[in-house]
């Protein structure tokens, strides 16, 4: 049981990192990004290829995964510079599909739909599987901690305030003299870097990646994590990711305890419970478990 | 130490719960089985990881049913040296990420001694490292060649012939049918390029040639240029190496273009649903092939009786054998650990032992100290040193008037 809980906490860590990344792009800058899994895949493939084919050391691979995802994010921001709302969502969704199709067709590079197996992990093979899990648990949650601290700081810095202004009204921000595109680009690159880093870690934890693993399902989980946790709040992203993993996993045991339920019904029941809880959450707590709190200053002259 | 005992007690409690839940055969009998489990030590747990939702959803439930049926039979026959067996199933959602989480739960919480029934190649490849690291054998129906090439230390057993073997037998069949100029049209998949290499070698050796090779994206909805290329190449045979949705469109467009050569596709791409959805003149003469369960075997007939009105698909025939192999290997070893099962699968599935086609006879023979050779519903189930299956039969069919007729079974 302990090993299982540790493994699920590792997964929660990946989800939390992705939710943090998405929170910069969507929560702060207000750009709907449904192409999340694309950046995740870019990070994962970059690090997996560099460490298996060019035999780079793992930390360099992870850094490269984040950097390449950031570049992809920056380019993406330029492409979608004039798009907002639904149109932006569609283009980003398309981006993730393009990445997945490139990964399944450029066989010379990515090994196609067979995927890349045998990706090294820190001390994998030298330590027991459980120790490896614990190493990764520490690694992932350190990364979550660092990302959380840096992004929270950024969120309350002038940079974060401008992003919020862009989110609320782009034109007003522009009129106030803020270079909107430049801020959007940096937000996109920063968020994508965090997501790409999560992807890089994920590849080395699972030891195997394939285009199938980067289906839109994962994006949906992360969007749900962020919505559940509270869009805009960094703490909400982490709490939301934990909540989604808890929901995904606890339903296994819940559905198992109901007498007379066959495994097939259990599988269907699990999906219904997950869907229903999220509908209920959005109906009764649309602001999320931890709503965004911004430090508003009192209006000049309002207080005596 | 105390912690460990609590874990076991919880496992026992869940055992009782799961027996309630999984046994389709009446509450009374399952209760009796539960009682036995308590009296004779902790049950042996097998993990099933079939696709119950997602793209594999149409196959998973039957695959699971076949596993459960074998386990119920073994339990009725006294279990493995008096210990009862329990199946815990998780849904892999036909997704590697979900599959890994499901496998984690089976390995770490349920402490399964064998894992069986993974379907999608990507799920199997993702789950495989967990299995060999935790010393749990994995029985799978996935076809990608790369799976048994993983450094799996003998922990993977594959009952599905790998795609290379499938293409080789398909090419031999076409050559027997008189094909010489073949056009290979493949959906992007792990098998596209390896299929092409096999086809070229086979046709060249027989004095024929592969006159064209095109890989397409499987979500495509129009194939005008591909069909034109086929017509231009004056192929006498086209190999539609794709999936159901795209092959449906391709058959229609080939008919419109007036293609009159052989059309050949895997049985999962041209199935009865496709024949029902297209006019007969479009589908007549289209040929399919698939690895066939051993339909004349005792094991297959038992499975058919159990399934009643539903036809037994090749995957269920294979998972039936997954469960039987794991049970008999554990019984032969006298140990239900993963390593013991791995080391004994070949001992009970090949060699000169007494031939058995079900777990009841197998357990009895093993208890009497006799060697056995299990012959399953999917075939003779003999594995080579990489864990790949040997000696599977193939079934070739032709569409005629909206139905399939058997051309060959060999």
């Amino acid at each position: 049981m302990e090993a299982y809980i540790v493994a699920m906490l590792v997964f929660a860590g990946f989800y939390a990192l992705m939710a943090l990344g998405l929170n910069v792009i969507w929560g702060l800058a207000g750009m709907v990004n449904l192409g999340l899994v694309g950046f995740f895949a870019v990070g994962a493939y970059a690090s997996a290829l560099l460490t298996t084919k060019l035999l780079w050391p793992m930390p360099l691979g992870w850094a490269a995964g984040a950097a390449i995802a950031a570049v992809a994010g920056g380019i993406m921001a330029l492409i979608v510079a004039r798009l907002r709302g639904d149109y932006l969502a569609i283009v980003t969704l398309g981006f993730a599909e393009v990445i997945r199709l490139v990964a399944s067709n450029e066989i010379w590079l990515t090994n196609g739909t067979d995927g890349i197996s045998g990706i090294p992990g820190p001390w994998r093979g030298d330590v027991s599987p459980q120790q490896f899990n614990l190493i990764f648990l520490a690694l992932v949650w350190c990364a979550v901690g660092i990302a959380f601290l840096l992004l929270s700081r950024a969120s309350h810095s002038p940079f974060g305030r401008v992003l919020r202004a862009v989110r609320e009204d782009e034109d007003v921000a522009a009129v106030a003299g803020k270079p909107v595109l430049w801020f959007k680009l940096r937000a996109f690159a920063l968020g994508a870097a965090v997501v790409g880093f999560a992807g890089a870690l994920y590849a080395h934890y699972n030891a195997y990646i394939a285009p199938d693993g980067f289906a839109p399902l994962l994006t949906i989980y992360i969007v749900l994590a962020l919505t559940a946790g509270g869009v805009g709040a960094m703490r909400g992203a982490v709490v939301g990711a934990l909540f989604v993993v808890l929901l995904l996993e606890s339903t296994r045991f819940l559905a198992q305890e109901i007498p007379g339920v066959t495994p097939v019904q259990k599988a269907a029941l699990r999906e219904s419970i997950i869907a229903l809880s999220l509908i209920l959450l959005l109906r009764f707590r649309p602001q999320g478990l931890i709503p965004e709190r911004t430090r508003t200053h009192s209006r000049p002259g309002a207080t005596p | 130490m105390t912690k460990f005992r609590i874990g076991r007690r919880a496992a026992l409690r869940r055992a009782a719960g799961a027996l309630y839940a999984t046994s389709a055969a009446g509450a009374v009998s399952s209760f009796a089985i539960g009682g036995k489990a308590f009296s004779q030590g902790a049950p042996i747990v097998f993990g099933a990881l079939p696709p119950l939702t997602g793209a594999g959803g149409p196959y998973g439930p039957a695959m699971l049913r076949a596993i459960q049926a074998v386990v119920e039979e073994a339990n009725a026959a006294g279990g493995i040296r008096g210990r009862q067996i329990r199946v815990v199933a998780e849904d892999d959602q036909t997704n590697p990420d979900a599959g890994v989480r499901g496998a984690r739960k089976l390995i770490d919480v349920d402490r399964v001694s064998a894992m069986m029934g993974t379907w999608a190649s990507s799920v199997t490849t993702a789950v495989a490292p967990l299995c060999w690291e935790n010393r749990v054998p994995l029985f799978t129906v996935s076809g990608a060649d790369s799976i048994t090439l993983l450094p799996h230390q003998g922990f993977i057993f594959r009952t599905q012939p790998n795609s290379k073997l499938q293409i080789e037998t398909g090419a031999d069949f076409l050559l027997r049918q008189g094909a010489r100029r073949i056009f290979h049209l493949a959906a992007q998949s792990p098998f596209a390029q390896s299929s092409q290499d096999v086809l070229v070698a086979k046709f060249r050796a027989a004095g024929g040639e592969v006159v064209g090779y095109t890989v397409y994206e499987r979500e495509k909805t129009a194939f005008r240029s591909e069909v034109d290329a086929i017509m231009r190449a004056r192929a006498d045979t086209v190999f539609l190496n794709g999936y159901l949705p795209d092959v449906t469109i391709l058959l229609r467009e080939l008919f419109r273009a007036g293609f009159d050569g052989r059309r050949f596709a895997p049985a999962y791409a041209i199935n009865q649903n496709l024949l029902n959805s297209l006019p007969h003149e479009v589908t007549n003469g289209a040929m399919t092939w698939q690895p066939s369960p051993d339909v004349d075997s005792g094991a297959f007939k038992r499975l058919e009786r159990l399934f009643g009105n539903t036809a037994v698909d090749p995957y269920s025939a294979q998972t039936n054998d997954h469960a039987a192999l794991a049970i008999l290997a554990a019984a032969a070893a006298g140990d239900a650990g993963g390593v013991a099962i791995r080391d004994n699968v070949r001992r009970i599935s090949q060699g000169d032992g007494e031939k058995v086609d079900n777990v009841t006879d197998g357990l009895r023979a093993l208890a009497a100290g006799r060697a056995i050779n299990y012959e399953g519903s999917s075939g003779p189930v003999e594995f080579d040193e990489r864990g790949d299956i040997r000696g599977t039969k193939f079934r070739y069919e032709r569409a005629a008037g909206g139905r399939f007729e058997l051309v060959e079974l060999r």
Side-chain angles (χ1 to χ4, degrees), chain A residues 18-36 39 84-86 88-89 92 151 160 163-168 184 187-192 195 219-234 237 282 286-287 292:
Chain A
M18 291 175 76
L20 283 170
L22 179 64
N23 202 21
V24 178
I25 303 172
W26 185 28
L28 293 186
M31 295 181 283
V32 185
N33 180 1
L34 297 184
L36 204 61
F39 298 110
R84 286 181 213 174
D86 299 349
L88 178 60
T92 52
L151 294 180
L163 289 185
R164 282 201 192 82
V166 169
R167 176 184 76 190
E168 299 304 332
K184 276 183 161 183
F188 232 111
L190 180 62
V195 176
T219 302
I220 294 168
Y221 283 161
I222 304 306
V223 169
L224 290 176
L226 193 55
T227 332
V231 181
M234 291 298 163
L282 289 185
Q287 72 275 41
E292 182 184 21

Side-chain angles (χ1 to χ4, degrees), chain B residues 216-406:
Chain B
Y216 62 87
E217 186 48 49
R218 58 192 280 191
E219 274 93 17
K220 260 183 86 140
T221 51
F223 294 93
R224 236 346 245 291
S225 59
E226 284 84 354
V227 169
D228 285 348
I230 293 169
M231 301 306 288
R232 248 198 325 274
R234 289 181 290 109
D236 62 15
T237 305
V238 57
F239 175 29
L240 304 170
N241 192 3
Y243 300 90
L244 185 64
D246 34 299
V247 169
T248 309
I249 303 167
L250 273 165
L251 281 178
R252 199 187 292 132
E253 295 198 5
L254 281 168
F255 176 76
R256 276 201 201 125
F259 180 76
D260 56 0
R262 295 175 197 81
R263 287 149 300 158
F264 187 62
Y268 52 76
I270 300 186
N271 62 14
Q272 191 59 49
N273 287 345
L274 183 146
L275 297 194
N276 295 344
S277 69
L278 287 177
H280 298 169
E281 63 262 32
V282 174
T283 57
N284 278 346
M287 292 182 289
T288 68
W289 95 120
Q290 62 179 319
S292 169
D294 194 356
V295 289
D296 299 323
S297 66
F300 188 81
K301 296 212 163 96
R302 288 168 84 90
L303 197 58
E304 261 185 333
R305 270 199 300 283
L306 182 92
F307 273 39
N309 295 328
T310 13
V312 178
D313 61 288
Y315 301 124
S316 307
Q318 290 177 36
T319 54
N320 171 78
D321 294 346
H322 293 172
L325 288 170
I327 289 167
L328 294 175
D335 173 3
V339 177
I341 292 178
R342 173 193 71 174
D343 293 341
N344 282 278
V345 165
R346 286 178 183 81
R347 216 177 109 199
I348 52 97
S349 64
Q350 45 218 57
D352 303 325
E354 180 184 333
K355 293 209 166 176
V356 294
D357 64 7
N358 63 75
V359 283
T360 311
D361 294 347
L363 288 171
R364 198 179 300 134
L366 287 171
R370 297 196 297 273
I372 59 165
N373 176 3
Y374 175 75
E375 308 269 279
S377 49
S378 66
V381 286
E382 302 193 346
F383 298 96
D384 66 13
E385 68 286 353
R386 293 228 61 95
D388 268 326
I389 195 82
R390 281 197 294 232
T392 310
K393 286 188 172 171
F394 284 82
R395 182 184 183 84
Y396 306 89
E397 293 177 315
R398 180 186 288 121
R403 299 233 160 279
F404 283 111
E405 56 187 30
L406 183 66

Side-chain angles (χ1 to χ4, degrees), chain B residues 33 36-37 40 42-45 74-76 78-80 82-86:
Chain B
I33 292 170
K36 234 178 186 177
Q40 297 183 331
I44 295 160
V45 188
N75 281 339
I80 298 173
R83 282 174 77 188
Q84 293 286 302
I85 311 148
R86 185 162 77 85

Side-chain angles (χ1 to χ4, degrees), chain A residues 1-5 7-8 11 15 100-101 104-107 112-114 117-118 124-125 129-130 132-133 202 205-208 210 212-213 215 217-218 221 245 248-249 252-253 256-264 266-268 270-271, chain B residues 3 14 17-18 20-22 52-53 60-61 64 68 86 88-91 93-98 100-106 108-111 120-123 125-126 129 133-134 144-146 150 188-191 193 215-217 219:
Chain A
M1 192 73 185
E2 295 81 5
Y4 166 72
I5 292 173
M8 290 313 120
F11 272 94
Y15 289 9
R100 195 168 64 80
L101 290 178
S104 47
N105 287 288
E106 294 306 314
I107 299 172
T113 37
D114 264 355
S117 55
R124 183 191 277 275
Q130 175 60 356
F132 177 76
N133 259 343
Y202 177 84
Y205 177 66
N206 256 7
Y208 170 70
D212 271 9
L217 182 71
L218 196 55
Y221 283 161
V245 172
L248 288 175
E249 293 303 315
R252 280 185 208 286
F253 298 93
Q256 193 168 298
E257 293 307 319
I258 305 170
V261 172
T262 65
V264 181
K266 178 183 139 185
R270 263 188 78 201
E271 300 205 326
Chain B
K3 248 186 196 167
R14 269 198 305 277
Y20 272 116
T22 49
L52 301 177
T53 54
L64 179 59
Q68 286 169 335
R86 185 162 77 85
V88 182
E90 286 298 334
D91 177 15
Q93 298 176 259
T94 329
N95 175 297
D97 187 55
V100 166
R101 282 187 283 113
R104 278 275 172 208
K105 188 254 181 187
L106 291 173
D108 296 333
V109 180
D110 301 306
R111 310 230 167 249
S121 292
S122 58
V123 174
T125 318
E133 279 171 6
N134 290 284
D145 293 344
S146 54
L150 294 168
Q188 182 55 271
S189 75
F191 340 117
Q193 187 54 47
V215 177
Y216 62 87
E217 186 48 49
E219 274 93 17

